Amino acid sequence: MSFSDPGFLFSSRPTDNERLAARLEAERRVEAACAGYRRATWVVVLTMIYLALPTGLDAWHWHVVAGAGVLVLTFGIVMALNGAVKNALISLLFAAVILPGWVLMAPKVISTAREQSLIILREWQRVF
């Protein structure tokens, strides 16, 4: 910049209103990303609980996982568009890998947990 250029007379600094608008927009993006992450987490948790319950609806497990995966994918896209790419990738990992794996592993995990809880209960009864 030289003094022969009249640009030094004009301020390119944003005004207070522009800074306030930028801050409000950044806060809105963060809040939208957090809301998407909370919703995706609730979808994953409720799906995992549904799959673990002995409801007798085993034929619908893959349909529920597919629906939950689509919801989590949607929330992941919302998070990524609002700047929370790491949270979006974590959510997509749950939708693509963990929920389908939970369909296959839930019966074994529940039976193992039941056996272990019975062993612990017997040991506590023996001690007291």
Side-chain angles (χ1 to χ4, degrees), residues 19-43:
R19 284 194 304 262
L20 177 64
R23 191 180 84 233
L24 291 175
E25 177 63 20
E27 289 174 1
R28 186 202 61 79
R29 289 172 56 101
V30 167
E31 184 57 37
C34 287
Y37 191 70
R38 279 192 304 269
R39 290 177 183 143
T41 301
W42 274 108
V43 168

Side-chain angles (χ1 to χ4, degrees), residues 17-76:
N17 288 336
E18 291 171 341
R19 284 194 304 262
L20 177 64
R23 191 180 84 233
L24 291 175
E25 177 63 20
E27 289 174 1
R28 186 202 61 79
R29 289 172 56 101
V30 167
E31 184 57 37
C34 287
Y37 191 70
R38 279 192 304 269
R39 290 177 183 143
T41 301
W42 274 108
V43 168
V44 168
V45 167
L46 292 176
T47 303
M48 291 179 82
I49 290 171
Y50 168 77
L51 295 175
L53 292 176
T55 58
L57 300 173
D58 296 343
W60 288 95
H61 282 183
W62 287 107
H63 299 85
V64 171
V65 167
V70 169
L71 280 173
V72 172
L73 174 69
T74 305
F75 292 136

